[in-house]
Amino acid sequence: MWHKWVFISTVSVITCLMTGTIGEVAAVPGGPDFAAAVLEETTAVAAGAKHPLSAAQVQGLRTMVTQEGSPFAPSMYRDMTDQRPTEVEHVLASLSSAATDLDIPTPLVDLAVLRLRVHNRKPVTPS
């Protein structure tokens, strides 16, 4: 379960803060380093909660989130770009809360939580 939470959180932070797909973020200077920094935060929380990901799992995620040309975008990003409410509280805010409880700094995750909370306060655009 932690692997899935790390995955969803990582790709949501990357795409929602940068407002682009994984491939779009990976294609710009600094994009892969940003993605790796987000992954470091999310995996640190999992490890702090005594659910560390294996080296192979971390490497697999790192490869995925730094892949230029990848069209991948999680549902949280699609909800945000389509002006729908997101599940920020259930996914990212709960991870941020766990990080706080474990005294693990997660400034990028926290920034994404703030960004998406602001987004969620905006009126929903009718389809």
Side-chain angles (χ1 to χ4, degrees):
M1 185 56 107
W2 274 89
H3 181 267
K4 183 176 182 177
W5 195 9
V6 166
F7 168 70
I8 293 168
S9 297
T10 301
V11 295
S12 295
V13 170
I14 293 166
T15 58
C16 291
L17 282 181
M18 296 296 108
T19 61
T21 65
I22 290 295
E24 290 169 337
V25 175
V28 299
D33 291 337
F34 170 75
V38 173
L39 181 60
E40 286 178 27
E41 286 187 13
T42 58
T43 57
V45 178
K50 301 193 183 344
H51 298 283
L53 275 63
S54 70
Q57 289 174 318
V58 173
Q59 184 55 46
L61 288 174
R62 180 176 279 101
T63 299
M64 187 266 178
V65 300
T66 58
Q67 183 179 6
E68 278 191 50
S70 170
F72 183 77
S75 61
M76 196 172 308
Y77 171 77
R78 293 190 306 272
D79 288 342
M80 183 188 78
T81 58
D82 290 341
Q83 302 303 311
R84 294 188 302 257
T86 68
E87 294 182 328
V88 63
E89 298 303 324
H90 301 291
V91 179
L92 298 181
S94 57
L95 185 72
S96 176
S97 178
T100 298
D101 291 346
L102 295 165
D103 200 28
I104 297 171
T106 55
L108 298 172
V109 172
D110 298 344
L111 185 60
V113 170
L114 180 62
R115 192 259 184 268
L116 290 166
R117 283 177 171 164
V118 170
H119 165 81
N120 281 357
R121 292 182 57 97
K122 295 179 180 180
V124 175
T125 303
S127 328

